[in-house]
Amino acid sequence: MQMLSTLRSRGLLPVDADRSIAEALAANAGKPAHEMLIEKGFVKEEVLLPILAEEFGMELVDLTQVEIEPELLRSMPLKLIHRKNLMPIARDNGTLIVATGDPTDVYALDELQTLTGLEVRPVLASSRELSRLIKSHFGVGGETVSAIIEERAAAADGV
């Protein structure tokens, strides 16, 4: 995995963490590796995001510096935004610029493109900031909707 090699070569992972990382990756097979590394405390998000952006050839966006036009959000599919933690941040002609915390989830981006009819250009952003921004634009109810969707998805996976 390129991301792990880059982190190791830049001295950003503990030298003795290889076995722990391999075990955590195996135990969390359904979770993207970058999310697991952050969640388990192997690396901080602010350290990992630039490397992830570089690996995927994406622009890294600081959502605290982004101002979103309310008109842009009115026509967005809310369930998808909440379920996949995507945030449309700008529109440039026929292109929708969308912040995501998971560059590996191309299906979510494809679905958004299909639902909006716009070409989608993903940019990478902090998952924490994405959640905060979604909550601030769509209210606390957005968090509740996200929790319900996650519960239903977990229940469906357990069937």
Side-chain angles (χ1 to χ4, degrees), residues 90-145:
R91 187 171 172 176
D92 183 24
N93 293 321
T95 301
L96 183 64
I97 301 165
V98 178
T100 180
D102 185 4
T104 64
D105 192 356
V106 294
Y107 297 112
L109 298 168
D110 286 345
E111 186 176 350
L112 184 60
Q113 185 164 310
T114 300
L115 292 172
T116 62
L118 299 168
E119 179 182 336
V120 170
R121 183 173 63 110
V123 294
L124 188 61
S126 160
S127 291
R128 287 189 316 261
E129 282 301 312
L130 276 165
S131 294
R132 181 196 60 78
L133 201 57
I134 289 169
K135 200 180 299 180
S136 73
H137 283 280
F138 299 109
V140 176
E143 185 177 73
T144 304
V145 170

Side-chain angles (χ1 to χ4, degrees), residues 18-29 31 36-37 40 42:
D18 285 352
R19 183 180 175 135
S20 299
I21 290 171
E23 289 171 358
L25 285 170
N28 296 279
K31 182 175 281 230
M36 186 279 309
L37 289 171
K40 299 292 183 189
F42 290 108

Side-chain angles (χ1 to χ4, degrees), residues 33-86:
H34 67 279
E35 286 181 16
M36 186 279 309
L37 289 171
I38 294 167
E39 188 177 286
K40 299 292 183 189
F42 290 108
V43 65
K44 293 191 179 296
E45 185 178 50
E46 57 271 10
V47 171
L48 182 61
L49 285 179
I51 292 168
L52 203 56
E54 182 182 313
E55 183 175 319
F56 283 89
M58 296 173 74
E59 179 184 349
L60 180 59
V61 176
D62 179 358
L63 293 179
T64 62
Q65 305 299 313
V66 172
E67 192 169 320
I68 300 170
E69 295 293 324
E71 183 64 33
L72 175 66
L73 302 177
R74 287 192 183 100
S75 62
M76 292 298 123
L78 296 180
K79 283 184 183 177
L80 181 62
I81 287 171
H82 290 293
R83 190 178 75 231
K84 295 299 186 172
N85 213 26
L86 299 173

